[in-house]
Amino acid sequence: MSKEQKNYATQQMTSKFTDYTYTINIYVPSNEVPKEGFPILYVLDGSSYFELVKEAVRLQSGNAPKTNIAPSIVVGIGHGADMRERRFYDFTAPAETYIYPERFKGKGHDKLGGAAHFSRFLEEELKPVIEEQFPINRKQQALFGHSLAGYFTLWQLFHHQSSFQRYLAISPSIWWNEHELFHCASVFLNEHQEMREALFMSAGELENTMVDDARQMMSILEKIMDVAFYEALDENHASVVPTVMSRAIRFMHQST
């Protein structure tokens, strides 16, 4: 077994809050542990993105003076075979009614609105286990999500902003439920003044309205916090993540 393989672990974790078993993939650098612990990046939709993010961190942290990416722990949170349906529960906020866009053609989902439960899983179950097992820097934690997981990343910022210092939302589904996140953002703006937490958003040029939504969200939040937006030219919803991953990780490592 190679040194790199020894720093990779997979475990199953069942949440009492969501009543679901997640696959948790963990990458720990082989570097000497910093005095304050390693920065840590939690990756939603880990079944799809853990390997990509882990390799981006591993390769670029090998030349930190040039990349500005330090060795970091990466934790992927993955669903099982029912990922498509289940993520609509875990990543969407509770609401009295749900209005689907026309492209759904009237087809809904069996379970919605589990974001508060999933957040408790992150904060009260997953993170304590990770913090007990590995040397992390609790002042340098980031959350990454793409698409509907990007929506949840923003929701987590608006409701539990101190749980992470950096929020990385790629092509966030701000359109969900008649753009309800804009209302959340307005409430958030009224309740907070200048903040230390920071947000990175990105979308592909070919995603059309998702670019406009992200820019509008940036215009709201930049009044109280550091917000960066990057439009990836010639990229679509499926191709945008590999294109912007390095920028997102660099943003994670900006000083707080």
Side-chain angles (χ1 to χ4, degrees):
M1 181 178 289
S2 70
K3 190 174 184 181
E4 196 63 46
Q5 288 174 315
K6 291 180 181 179
N7 294 319
Y8 177 94
T10 299
Q11 59 190 52
Q12 303 296 310
M13 181 175 292
T14 301
S15 169
K16 67 180 181 182
F17 298 114
T18 66
D19 190 28
Y20 189 84
T21 300
Y22 301 92
T23 298
I24 308 300
N25 289 305
I26 307 162
Y27 164 74
V28 182
S30 57
N31 306 70
E32 181 179 351
V33 179
K35 181 179 178 181
E36 64 278 10
F38 286 116
I40 186 166
L41 174 56
Y42 289 88
V43 180
L44 303 178
D45 286 328
S47 301
S48 300
Y49 296 122
F50 171 76
E51 288 293 335
L52 172 67
V53 178
K54 181 259 289 184
E55 283 301 292
V57 170
R58 185 184 68 83
L59 291 170
Q60 296 186 70
S61 64
N63 193 1
K66 287 188 176 181
T67 64
N68 294 318
I69 294 175
S72 307
I73 293 174
V74 180
V75 177
I77 306 160
H79 294 90
D82 59 346
M83 178 180 73
R84 176 173 173 78
E85 187 67 28
R86 181 69 197 194
R87 62 200 300 274
F88 269 91
Y89 175 73
D90 283 340
F91 297 154
T92 59
E96 293 184 4
T97 59
Y98 296 96
I99 300 173
Y100 295 101
E102 290 184 5
R103 66 179 180 274
F104 278 48
K105 297 180 180 179
K107 296 181 180 179
H109 295 271
D110 293 336
K111 294 181 67 177
L112 296 166
H117 297 302
F118 186 74
S119 178
R120 292 193 69 181
F121 161 64
L122 288 180
E123 291 302 306
E124 300 179 38
E125 295 178 322
L126 177 59
K127 288 176 72 175
V129 168
I130 298 297
E131 291 166 6
E132 181 179 354
Q133 294 181 2
F134 304 103
I136 76 160
N137 182 350
R138 298 189 185 192
K139 295 182 179 180
Q140 222 175 340
Q141 302 184 82
L143 179 66
F144 164 89
H146 169 248
S147 192
L148 202 60
Y151 165 101
F152 175 82
T153 299
L154 291 173
W155 184 91
Q156 182 74 7
L157 168 64
F158 296 149
H159 294 84
H160 306 284
Q161 75 277 359
S162 61
S163 56
F164 300 92
Q165 289 73 50
R166 293 289 182 267
Y167 291 82
L168 314 175
I170 313 303
S171 303
S173 298
I174 297 171
W175 53 264
W176 173 255
N177 208 21
E178 295 286 271
H179 291 81
E180 65 185 8
L181 279 181
F182 284 130
H183 172 71
C184 294
S186 296
V187 173
F188 184 71
L189 184 68
N190 291 331
E191 293 180 347
H192 296 82
Q193 297 183 353
E194 188 172 357
M195 300 171 54
R196 294 179 61 87
E197 291 83 9
L199 169 66
F200 174 88
M201 287 188 296
S202 184
E205 177 189 22
L206 304 181
E207 295 186 271
N208 301 319
T209 58
M210 297 188 83
V211 175
D212 298 333
D213 288 346
R215 289 191 182 278
Q216 184 177 344
M217 185 65 73
M218 180 179 70
S219 69
I220 296 171
L221 297 177
E222 65 183 359
K223 299 171 184 176
I224 59 169
M225 63 188 298
D226 180 13
V227 183
F229 175 75
Y230 175 69
E231 181 178 352
L233 300 182
D234 299 321
E235 304 297 343
N236 56 48
H237 198 64
S239 67
V240 67
V241 172
T243 304
V244 306
M245 200 64 247
S246 292
R247 290 176 180 268
I249 298 171
R250 284 199 301 272
F251 185 87
M252 167 190 167
H253 286 84
Q254 289 181 2
S255 60
T256 55

